[in-house]
Amino acid sequence: MSGNRLENEPLRGLFWSMAVPVILQQLLIWLDNVIDRIWIAHIPDIGQLAFTASAVCVPIVYMMMALAELTGTGIAPQVGYHLGQGNRQRAEQTLGSFFLFNLLLSVLVCVVIEWQCIPLIRLFGGSDQTEALSELYLRISTPGNALCILSGGLAPFLLAQGRSKEAGIVIGSGIVLNMLLDPLLIFGFDMGLAGAAWATTIAEAFAALLAIVYLRRPGDIQLHLRHLRLRWDLIAPCLALGVTPMVMMLAETVQMGVYNRTLYAMVGDVGVGTMALVIMLYNFFRFPFYGMAFGVQSVTSYNLGANRWDRVRENVRILMKTTLVWSLVVWLLMMLFTRPIVQLTIGDGDMTDYAVPMTRLAFCVFFVSTLQFACQSTLQAMNRPVVTFWLGLSRTLLLLVPLVWLLPRLFSSHPDASVFVAQPIADVLVAVVSLLLLLSSLRKLDPKQNT
C-alpha cells in the first residue's frame, strides 16, 4: 500500500478499507471459538457440564497461546530486516533455528501437560464433577494446541516474504477445518467431548503441516534441513519482541484462574461455567474493535509521521464513533435479549437460570468498556507501547484480581454477583485513564496545541 494513499485518500473510505479485512479475520477466529463451545454445550445429557469442563481447560490453553505469542510475534520484523538487507542466508538460518526451537517447545509442552494434567485442572477450578471430562478433553487436545506454537511460529516467515495469502491460508485452514470437524465428530460419530478435542488436534496438525509445505517451496526463503540448528543469536532477538504479548496472555491466564477458583468456592461448577460463557461472549462481541483498532493503526502512525494532524484527529474520531455505535448496539442486545442469547449458546439446564442475570450484570457497561481498547490501540500506533503494556497489565493484575478478592467481602450478601461486577468496574476505570492519556498524548504531540 502506498504512503500517498494513507496520507491523501478520504479517511472514511480508507478507514473501512483497512479495517474490514482484519474484522473478517477476527470474526472467523472468534466464530470458531464460539461455535466450538456451542457444540460442546449441546452434547446430549452432559452438555453444560462438558461446557464447564472445557472452560476449566481454557487457562491452560492460554498458557500455550502465550508461548505462541512469545515465539511468533517478533519473527516478521527480524526476518523482514534481514531480507531488506539482502541477507537471505541469515533469514533462512533464522527459519531453521525457529522451526527446531518451536518443534522442541511443542513437544516439551505436551510432556509437561500430560504429566501434570490433573494438578493443572485442579489449579484452574476443576471439580470432582468436571475433572474426568476436563482430563479427557485436555489430554486429546493438548498436542493440537501445542502445534499452534509451531504453525504460529512459521506463518510469520510467510508474511515476512509478502506471502500474506499463504499465511492467511495456514491460519484459516485450521479454523475452518475445526469448525467442520466439530459437529461431524461430536454428533455424527457420537464421540461427544472427545470429538471436539480430536477436531482441534486434527485441524491444528493440518495447519502446521501446511505451513511446512509452503515453506519448503521456493521463495525468498526456504526451509532447509541443513539450517535446523539452535542458534540463540538468531532466536533471542525475536523472542525479546514477543515477551510483552506473552506476559499479557499469561496475565489473562491468571485472571481466569482466579475467577474459576473463586466462583467454584462460592457456587460450584455453575459459577465456573457462567464466567466462561461471559468471557466467551465478551470476546466475541469485541471482534469488530480488534479489526478496526488494528486495521487502522497504520493510518494513524503514518499521518503522525507526516505531521498530518488533521488526519490523525479525524481517524481517531472515526474510530471512537464506530466503536461507540457498535458497543451500544451490543449493550442493548445483551440487556434486552439476554435469555435467548444464553439459551442459544449453552441450551437449557441448571446453569441457564443462573447465567442470565450474571451475564446481564457483566455487560452492564459494555458501551463504556470498549472505549479502552480504541484508546490503547491508538496509543500503540502513536509509539507508546510501554503505556499500553502497563494499562493492559494494570487492568488484570492491579484491578481485576484485587477486585475479585475485595468485592465479595464488601458485599457478602451477594458475593458471587460481585465477582461478575469486578470486570465492568475495572473496564470503566481503565477506559477513563486510557482516554485521559490519549487526549494528553494528542495534545503534547500536536504542535498547534503547544503554540
Side-chain angles (χ1 to χ4, degrees), residues 195-345:
W198 276 114
T200 297
T201 294
I202 294 170
E204 295 304 335
F206 178 81
L209 180 62
L210 191 60
I212 295 170
V213 170
Y214 280 146
L215 286 167
R216 287 288 293 165
R217 291 178 179 177
D220 292 338
I221 56 174
Q222 195 173 358
L223 180 62
H224 295 288
L225 293 177
R226 65 177 180 273
H227 293 316
L228 298 185
R229 294 193 304 121
L230 292 177
R231 289 191 49 179
W232 295 106
D233 60 318
L234 299 175
I235 295 171
C238 298
L239 294 183
L241 294 175
V243 168
T244 294
M246 180 192 71
V247 171
M248 298 293 289
M249 186 70 76
L250 288 177
E252 293 289 325
T253 302
V254 172
Q255 173 192 325
M256 286 187 287
V258 170
Y259 274 146
N260 288 354
R261 291 181 67 86
T262 302
L263 286 167
Y264 180 74
M266 293 176 181
V267 292
D269 291 324
V270 69
V272 176
T274 297
M275 181 54 76
L277 170 67
V278 165
I279 293 174
M280 183 186 73
L281 290 174
Y282 225 85
N283 287 331
F284 175 73
F285 283 122
R286 289 199 300 187
F287 79 86
F289 308 136
Y290 292 108
M292 288 185 286
F294 288 126
V296 302
Q297 275 185 335
S298 57
V299 180
T300 297
S301 57
Y302 181 91
N303 285 284
L304 182 66
N307 293 320
R308 289 295 307 274
W309 284 100
D310 56 330
R311 290 178 67 82
V312 171
R313 286 192 298 271
E314 181 61 21
N315 191 57
V316 172
R317 193 176 296 118
I318 295 172
L319 177 60
M320 295 298 178
K321 286 181 179 179
T322 51
T323 296
L324 182 60
V325 169
W326 173 257
S327 60
L328 281 171
V329 170
V330 172
W331 176 74
L332 285 171
L333 188 69
M334 292 305 300
M335 293 301 103
L336 297 175
F337 303 104
T338 316
R339 179 169 288 276
I341 292 171
V342 169
Q343 288 176 323
L344 174 66
T345 308

Side-chain angles (χ1 to χ4, degrees), residues 247 250-252 254-255 392-402:
V247 171
L250 288 177
E252 293 289 325
V254 172
Q255 173 192 325
L393 201 62
S394 297
R395 173 189 176 273
T396 300
L397 298 184
L398 299 184
L399 286 175
L400 266 175
V401 173

